[in-house]
Amino acid sequence: MDELFEVFRPQVFRELLKYVNALKNEVTLNLSSDGLGINEMDPSHVAMVNLVLPNSFFDSYKVEESTKLSLNLDETLKLLNKIDKDDILKVFYDKDALKMMFQIQGTKNLIRNKTISLLDTIEEECPQPKIFFKSKSRIMLDSFKFAIEDLAKNAQYIRFESTNDKLNLITTSDISHEETPIERGSDAMLDHRVEEDSKATYTASYLMDILKNTSKISEVVTLELSEDMPLRLDIELPVGKLEFYLAPNIGI
């Protein structure tokens, strides 16, 4: 059984897998000497997640040849549920048995070995969006998440309108209208650059899934927007990249 990598205090690694799992259950780990990547679309092809963890993210990284390993994230996260902050996680790959083993060291002075069978790898290429964004906003993640959760309570869709002085989040129903403007220069808005006024509408439930528990790993989110185009959300990480694309709802 070959060791792939080792992570000290692996709770962040587990949390990152949860954000991928919010959109897709069966995923492929793209491993190379440069690091680990996951690039997946949800089954409805409405949202896409791109997670990149360079080899510097890991405390020890031993992958030399490119390898694709597919697994069930629901079951994987069950195995990784009982991880404490001071644990060490080692991940191994059994090429002959097509299994991956997670070795957790630390809690109660124990070594726990948890093995999962791998899935058949499906060579499904996820196209990278090529979008010229007209608006870019860096926002405090807690503020943005609170605004989305508040608006999503009474609406199925949230409209994003970006102008030179603010990003306005809007919901409208038969009996109510809500607006949450995040203004340039406010404590919530760290940076706001607009080449062209832009607006688009997105499904609230997808935004909720993407943002669930993200404050555990980041403090800032960068949003990029263009007229009726997919929304790009970059959850800023100290090392690596976690980004989401969400398709707009046209005509709503």
Side-chain angles (χ1 to χ4, degrees):
M1 190 171 283
D2 298 324
E3 182 178 337
L4 298 175
F5 53 81
E6 181 176 350
V7 188
F8 297 169
R9 299 182 177 179
Q11 287 178 321
V12 171
F13 178 70
R14 182 189 61 193
E15 293 303 312
L16 289 169
L17 293 182
K18 285 184 180 180
Y19 306 131
V20 175
N21 193 43
L23 295 184
K24 190 77 177 290
N25 180 23
E26 296 182 356
V27 304
T28 297
L29 310 183
N30 299 295
L31 295 155
S32 71
S33 59
D34 294 330
L36 181 155
I38 302 175
N39 186 223
E40 299 282 353
M41 295 191 75
D42 80 295
S44 300
H45 286 200
V46 172
M48 185 181 82
V49 58
N50 184 31
L51 173 65
V52 178
L53 299 178
N55 52 29
S56 59
F57 172 88
F58 304 92
D59 294 279
S60 174
Y61 191 80
K62 300 184 178 181
V63 178
E64 296 180 355
E65 298 182 355
S66 296
T67 305
K68 293 180 181 291
L69 305 178
S70 298
L71 47 75
N72 183 303
L73 271 187
D74 281 344
E75 296 303 319
T76 300
L77 289 168
K78 289 177 184 177
L79 298 182
L80 300 179
N81 182 48
K82 291 293 236 182
I83 288 181
D84 288 340
K85 63 178 182 178
D86 295 323
D87 282 344
I88 297 172
L89 173 67
K90 292 184 178 181
V91 179
F92 299 84
Y93 170 44
D94 187 331
K95 185 175 182 179
D96 295 326
L98 294 178
K99 294 181 183 295
M100 183 178 285
M101 186 179 81
F102 302 93
Q103 185 179 89
I104 304 168
Q105 303 176 11
T107 301
K108 306 297 183 183
N109 299 314
L110 296 174
I111 295 176
R112 294 171 287 150
N113 296 322
K114 300 172 180 285
T115 303
I116 189 168
S117 297
L118 295 171
L119 306 173
D120 292 335
T121 299
I122 300 175
E123 297 291 341
E124 182 180 2
E125 190 168 338
C126 198
Q128 295 298 309
K130 295 181 180 179
I131 305 168
F132 295 99
F133 291 104
K134 301 297 185 181
S135 169
K136 184 175 183 179
S137 307
R138 289 184 75 239
I139 302 172
M140 295 301 298
L141 184 52
D142 277 345
S143 300
F144 180 67
K145 181 182 174 185
F146 180 86
I148 294 298
E149 290 174 343
D150 182 49
L151 292 168
K153 290 177 182 178
N154 299 312
Q156 186 176 355
Y157 304 102
I158 299 176
R159 188 168 185 80
F160 287 56
E161 293 188 356
S162 184
T163 59
N164 187 58
D165 59 343
K166 65 185 175 183
L167 173 68
N168 203 13
L169 307 177
I170 303 168
T171 61
T172 301
S173 70
D174 292 339
I175 59 175
S176 67
H177 178 86
E178 298 182 54
E179 295 189 16
T180 303
I182 306 175
E183 298 182 350
R184 179 197 294 275
S186 68
D187 290 340
M189 182 73 80
L190 302 178
D191 191 26
H192 185 60
R193 303 179 185 181
V194 177
E195 295 181 21
E196 183 180 293
D197 289 358
S198 302
K199 57 184 180 294
T201 301
Y202 304 97
T203 303
S205 60
Y206 274 95
L207 288 164
M208 293 282 286
D209 287 342
I210 289 170
L211 294 171
K212 185 178 180 180
N213 296 324
T214 45
S215 55
K216 292 182 179 181
I217 59 164
S218 180
E219 294 182 352
V220 179
V221 59
T222 297
L223 284 73
E224 293 185 270
L225 178 71
S226 285
E227 186 81 10
D228 287 334
M229 296 295 288
L231 174 70
R232 178 179 179 268
L233 295 125
D234 179 5
I235 310 297
E236 296 187 13
L237 304 177
V239 179
K241 177 170 67 175
L242 176 62
E243 64 178 358
F244 297 89
Y245 288 87
L246 182 60
N249 297 93
I250 305 297
I252 293 177

